[in-house]
Amino acid sequence: MNTPAGLSRPVFIILAEGEFDNETSKTAASAIRYLPDRVQCVIDSTQAGRTSQQVLGFGGDIPVVATLEEALEHGERSASGGISRAILIGIAPQGGALPAEARALLLRAIDVGLSVWGGLHTFLSDDPEFSAHANQAGVALVDLRRPPPDIPVATGRAAASSAFRVLTVGTDCNVGKMTVSLELRRLLRERGVAANFAGTGQTGILIDGHGIAVDAVVSDFVAGAAERLTLDAAEGADIVLVEGQGSLLHPGYSPVTLGLLHGAMPQAMILCWMPGRPSIYGGNYDWVTIPPLDQVVRMYEEAMSWVIPPFRSRVVGLAANTYDMPEEEARRALEAASELTGLPATDPIRFGAEPLADAVLAESAVVAAAAGGVHK
């Protein structure tokens, strides 16, 4: 994990000013979903007075407040005493820069004794003003996105792993690839399968405590980072679930996606998408139309066939993010996708990840049988 040695995860005040929702503050939303006992409150003056449940549809009574001062008044949400508090930057703006208006609030937070955890490309510990205040206050600046210095160039070693490798891929950014990976890990472990997660983004690292944010890695080493993460997660595991990033369709972020594909060497992929999103997310990219899912499936399988023989790396299931759709409309979208591609389709949060877990286990068994009982 990209944190100082021995630093435990604190109770968080999440900063999501003006951005607290399911899409624009995915770090905040994911922390609330997977670390609810570690979230004290959220700062967003535009949503103040509401709860996380009212804003996101989950998170219970975690309150939204208007100011840092209000946040500090709330007691810690953890039942155990002595746990430190920190402020977590809960947004993930395009380009990963720190919003200028957040600076003064973060400096006040440091001065009253809060560590600051951030997943931006702007590294807090490289900022002289933040560093000076943190040193004076004796608190930590944690840069979740800072990569380690010794990442190798990939050599395809992940393909020799005995663990079955699964990568979540997408039609676009911000469609739920991390969530699908974590939900699959949870369900597979409940079934008695030794399944590990390889975090490749700042939020996955925050939740799991390990990983490398591959979008902060120099391009020549992205595949090497994915290779290292996959091999590390494969130790003691039957199945490795590698968190996907970006999309091959995305004009800005396709390089990191290709690096993950050829570094992790997945034997199976789960394609994630939002049925209600016809083009690439964001005003700068809405000119890129997302093609039908069967074409996207072929695109990812072809990209893997460049380094793995055809049909050795397949898309085995579809995972939808349908939070913005009525339930019946969502079910119709899943049925249509399954009919078009011949693959099982579900929204793992809304309807459960069981079809995806079944598909992963079935493909794992096929690959193991073809290799004489050993995954290759």
Side-chain angles (χ1 to χ4, degrees), residues 158-318:
S161 168
S162 61
F164 186 72
R165 304 173 302 280
V166 182
L167 175 68
T168 48
V169 297
T171 57
D172 195 3
C173 297
N174 199 16
V175 291
K177 295 179 284 290
M178 180 200 73
T179 299
V180 173
S181 299
L182 290 171
E183 290 299 309
L184 273 173
R185 180 181 66 172
R186 177 188 59 78
L187 187 55
L188 289 170
R189 286 181 171 180
E190 288 176 358
R191 296 186 182 189
V193 178
N196 285 342
F197 170 79
T200 64
Q202 70 276 12
T203 307
I205 295 169
L206 171 72
I207 292 167
D208 197 54
H210 304 277
I212 300 173
V214 293
D215 63 358
V217 173
V218 173
S219 60
D220 276 1
F221 303 99
V222 171
E227 181 177 272
R228 173 182 287 183
L229 288 169
T230 302
L231 291 171
D232 287 350
E235 295 184 11
D238 297 320
I239 293 176
V240 174
L241 301 158
V242 183
E243 176 191 6
Q245 300 290 334
S247 169
L248 286 180
L249 292 165
H250 199 293
Y253 304 136
S254 56
V256 71
T257 308
L258 188 60
L260 282 168
L261 285 163
H262 291 174
M265 292 287 189
Q267 293 143 301
M269 295 172 277
I270 303 293
L271 177 60
C272 307
W273 95 109
M274 285 188 69
R277 187 184 292 178
S279 60
I280 296 296
Y281 178 67
N284 293 334
Y285 303 108
D286 57 8
W287 51 273
V288 181
T289 300
I290 296 172
L293 288 181
D294 57 338
Q295 294 182 31
V296 183
V297 167
R298 290 196 296 271
M299 177 182 71
Y300 277 105
E301 292 179 346
E302 180 180 355
M304 283 310 304
S305 75
W306 304 336
V307 292
I308 291 180
F311 311 113
R312 290 292 304 278
S313 181
R314 299 195 311 115
V315 175
V316 299
L318 308 175

